[in-house]
PDB file of all heavy atoms in Angstrom:
ATOM      1  N   LEU A  14      57.679 140.500 167.420  1.00 93.00           N
ATOM      2  CA  LEU A  14      58.831 140.876 168.168  1.00 93.00           C
ATOM      3  C   LEU A  14      58.408 141.755 169.334  1.00 93.00           C
ATOM      4  O   LEU A  14      57.705 142.796 168.964  1.00 93.00           O
ATOM      5  CB  LEU A  14      59.842 141.724 167.200  1.00 93.00           C
ATOM      6  CG  LEU A  14      61.037 142.230 167.908  1.00 93.00           C
ATOM      7  CD1 LEU A  14      61.976 141.120 168.437  1.00 93.00           C
ATOM      8  CD2 LEU A  14      61.865 143.184 167.013  1.00 93.00           C
ATOM      9  N   PRO A  16      60.155 143.913 171.813  1.00 95.00           N
ATOM     10  CA  PRO A  16      61.550 144.474 172.377  1.00 95.00           C
ATOM     11  C   PRO A  16      61.453 144.835 173.820  1.00 95.00           C
ATOM     12  O   PRO A  16      62.510 144.688 174.520  1.00 95.00           O
ATOM     13  CB  PRO A  16      61.819 145.617 171.463  1.00 95.00           C
ATOM     14  CG  PRO A  16      60.529 146.093 170.713  1.00 95.00           C
ATOM     15  CD  PRO A  16      59.769 144.811 170.712  1.00 95.00           C
ATOM     16  N   ARG A  58      37.341 146.830 169.420  1.00 95.00           N
ATOM     17  CA  ARG A  58      37.217 148.134 168.631  1.00 95.00           C
ATOM     18  C   ARG A  58      38.172 149.164 169.194  1.00 95.00           C
ATOM     19  O   ARG A  58      38.514 150.025 168.432  1.00 95.00           O
ATOM     20  CB  ARG A  58      35.810 148.586 168.608  1.00 95.00           C
ATOM     21  CG  ARG A  58      34.947 147.682 167.804  1.00 95.00           C
ATOM     22  CD  ARG A  58      33.464 148.280 167.637  1.00 95.00           C
ATOM     23  NE  ARG A  58      33.647 149.532 166.864  1.00 95.00           N
ATOM     24  CZ  ARG A  58      32.708 150.521 166.980  1.00 95.00           C
ATOM     25  NH1 ARG A  58      31.696 150.344 167.809  1.00 95.00           N
ATOM     26  NH2 ARG A  58      32.836 151.608 166.350  1.00 95.00           N
ATOM     27  N   LEU A  59      38.409 149.152 170.539  1.00 96.00           N
ATOM     28  CA  LEU A  59      39.257 150.139 171.068  1.00 96.00           C
ATOM     29  C   LEU A  59      40.382 149.731 172.001  1.00 96.00           C
ATOM     30  O   LEU A  59      41.496 150.154 171.875  1.00 96.00           O
ATOM     31  CB  LEU A  59      38.306 151.177 171.819  1.00 96.00           C
ATOM     32  CG  LEU A  59      39.058 152.358 172.604  1.00 96.00           C
ATOM     33  CD1 LEU A  59      39.705 153.144 171.511  1.00 96.00           C
ATOM     34  CD2 LEU A  59      38.072 153.170 173.321  1.00 96.00           C
ATOM     35  N   LEU A  60      40.101 148.913 172.951  1.00 97.00           N
ATOM     36  CA  LEU A  60      41.069 148.487 173.911  1.00 97.00           C
ATOM     37  C   LEU A  60      42.288 147.830 173.419  1.00 97.00           C
ATOM     38  O   LEU A  60      43.368 148.019 173.977  1.00 97.00           O
ATOM     39  CB  LEU A  60      40.475 147.782 175.184  1.00 97.00           C
ATOM     40  CG  LEU A  60      39.251 148.384 175.799  1.00 97.00           C
ATOM     41  CD1 LEU A  60      38.822 147.639 177.105  1.00 97.00           C
ATOM     42  CD2 LEU A  60      39.677 149.807 176.352  1.00 97.00           C
ATOM     43  N   THR A  61      42.141 147.087 172.360  1.00 97.00           N
ATOM     44  CA  THR A  61      43.183 146.458 171.737  1.00 97.00           C
ATOM     45  C   THR A  61      43.144 146.634 170.272  1.00 97.00           C
ATOM     46  O   THR A  61      42.195 146.988 169.681  1.00 97.00           O
ATOM     47  CB  THR A  61      43.147 144.858 172.007  1.00 97.00           C
ATOM     48  OG1 THR A  61      42.223 144.225 171.094  1.00 97.00           O
ATOM     49  CG2 THR A  61      42.786 144.536 173.465  1.00 97.00           C
ATOM     50  N   LEU A  64      45.105 143.104 165.514  1.00 96.00           N
ATOM     51  CA  LEU A  64      46.164 142.608 164.586  1.00 96.00           C
ATOM     52  C   LEU A  64      47.462 142.252 165.267  1.00 96.00           C
ATOM     53  O   LEU A  64      48.172 141.458 164.854  1.00 96.00           O
ATOM     54  CB  LEU A  64      46.429 143.727 163.605  1.00 96.00           C
ATOM     55  CG  LEU A  64      47.308 143.599 162.330  1.00 96.00           C
ATOM     56  CD1 LEU A  64      46.429 142.569 161.392  1.00 96.00           C
ATOM     57  CD2 LEU A  64      47.530 144.818 161.565  1.00 96.00           C
TER      58      LEU A  64
ATOM     59  N   LEU B  55      46.515 154.772 175.316  1.00 93.00           N
ATOM     60  CA  LEU B  55      46.184 153.459 174.841  1.00 93.00           C
ATOM     61  C   LEU B  55      47.093 152.895 173.917  1.00 93.00           C
ATOM     62  O   LEU B  55      47.765 151.945 174.137  1.00 93.00           O
ATOM     63  CB  LEU B  55      44.676 153.434 174.526  1.00 93.00           C
ATOM     64  CG  LEU B  55      44.006 152.059 174.477  1.00 93.00           C
ATOM     65  CD1 LEU B  55      43.988 151.585 175.889  1.00 93.00           C
ATOM     66  CD2 LEU B  55      42.498 152.275 173.886  1.00 93.00           C
ATOM     67  N   ARG B  56      47.030 153.388 172.616  1.00 94.00           N
ATOM     68  CA  ARG B  56      47.938 153.107 171.651  1.00 94.00           C
ATOM     69  C   ARG B  56      48.050 154.280 170.709  1.00 94.00           C
ATOM     70  O   ARG B  56      46.932 155.031 170.428  1.00 94.00           O
ATOM     71  CB  ARG B  56      47.457 151.903 170.672  1.00 94.00           C
ATOM     72  CG  ARG B  56      47.478 150.566 171.215  1.00 94.00           C
ATOM     73  CD  ARG B  56      46.915 149.560 170.299  1.00 94.00           C
ATOM     74  NE  ARG B  56      45.664 149.932 169.648  1.00 94.00           N
ATOM     75  CZ  ARG B  56      44.441 149.842 170.182  1.00 94.00           C
ATOM     76  NH1 ARG B  56      44.332 149.346 171.395  1.00 94.00           N
ATOM     77  NH2 ARG B  56      43.281 150.270 169.487  1.00 94.00           N
ATOM     78  N   PHE B  63      38.587 157.738 166.324  1.00 92.00           N
ATOM     79  CA  PHE B  63      37.026 157.872 166.527  1.00 92.00           C
ATOM     80  C   PHE B  63      36.611 159.358 166.609  1.00 92.00           C
ATOM     81  O   PHE B  63      35.546 159.606 166.926  1.00 92.00           O
ATOM     82  CB  PHE B  63      36.658 157.164 167.909  1.00 92.00           C
ATOM     83  CG  PHE B  63      36.813 155.627 167.785  1.00 92.00           C
ATOM     84  CD1 PHE B  63      37.947 154.952 168.352  1.00 92.00           C
ATOM     85  CD2 PHE B  63      35.910 154.868 167.042  1.00 92.00           C
ATOM     86  CE1 PHE B  63      38.026 153.619 168.230  1.00 92.00           C
ATOM     87  CE2 PHE B  63      36.052 153.504 167.002  1.00 92.00           C
ATOM     88  CZ  PHE B  63      37.168 152.909 167.593  1.00 92.00           C
ATOM     89  N   GLU B  92      44.842 152.565 162.385  1.00 97.00           N
ATOM     90  CA  GLU B  92      43.909 152.111 163.388  1.00 97.00           C
ATOM     91  C   GLU B  92      42.418 152.251 162.888  1.00 97.00           C
ATOM     92  O   GLU B  92      41.555 151.497 163.280  1.00 97.00           O
ATOM     93  CB  GLU B  92      44.097 153.090 164.563  1.00 97.00           C
ATOM     94  CG  GLU B  92      45.249 152.764 165.449  1.00 97.00           C
ATOM     95  CD  GLU B  92      44.922 151.524 166.464  1.00 97.00           C
ATOM     96  OE1 GLU B  92      43.679 151.288 166.630  1.00 97.00           O
ATOM     97  OE2 GLU B  92      45.820 150.919 166.960  1.00 97.00           O
ATOM     98  N   GLY B  98      47.844 146.820 158.275  1.00 98.00           N
ATOM     99  CA  GLY B  98      48.922 146.727 159.115  1.00 98.00           C
ATOM    100  C   GLY B  98      48.912 147.552 160.340  1.00 98.00           C
ATOM    101  O   GLY B  98      47.808 148.132 160.664  1.00 98.00           O
ATOM    102  N   ASP B 104      62.240 148.704 167.267  1.00 96.00           N
ATOM    103  CA  ASP B 104      62.853 147.478 167.810  1.00 96.00           C
ATOM    104  C   ASP B 104      64.010 147.767 168.867  1.00 96.00           C
ATOM    105  O   ASP B 104      64.220 146.994 169.656  1.00 96.00           O
ATOM    106  CB  ASP B 104      63.477 146.556 166.683  1.00 96.00           C
ATOM    107  CG  ASP B 104      64.535 147.351 165.864  1.00 96.00           C
ATOM    108  OD1 ASP B 104      64.748 148.520 166.124  1.00 96.00           O
ATOM    109  OD2 ASP B 104      65.043 146.629 164.879  1.00 96.00           O
ATOM    110  N   ARG B 142      57.702 151.010 163.754  1.00 98.00           N
ATOM    111  CA  ARG B 142      58.065 149.695 163.190  1.00 98.00           C
ATOM    112  C   ARG B 142      56.791 149.052 162.507  1.00 98.00           C
ATOM    113  O   ARG B 142      55.951 148.580 163.271  1.00 98.00           O
ATOM    114  CB  ARG B 142      58.518 148.727 164.362  1.00 98.00           C
ATOM    115  CG  ARG B 142      58.852 147.286 163.947  1.00 98.00           C
ATOM    116  CD  ARG B 142      59.624 146.528 164.890  1.00 98.00           C
ATOM    117  NE  ARG B 142      59.138 146.659 166.240  1.00 98.00           N
ATOM    118  CZ  ARG B 142      58.395 145.632 166.848  1.00 98.00           C
ATOM    119  NH1 ARG B 142      58.286 144.534 166.322  1.00 98.00           N
ATOM    120  NH2 ARG B 142      58.037 145.833 168.125  1.00 98.00           N
TER     121      ARG B 142
END
Side-chain angles (χ1 to χ4, degrees):
Chain A
L14 177 69
R58 294 189 61 208
L59 179 62
L60 301 183
T61 79
L64 194 65
Chain B
L55 201 58
R56 290 181 310 282
F63 293 102
E92 283 282 340
D104 61 354
R142 175 167 49 107

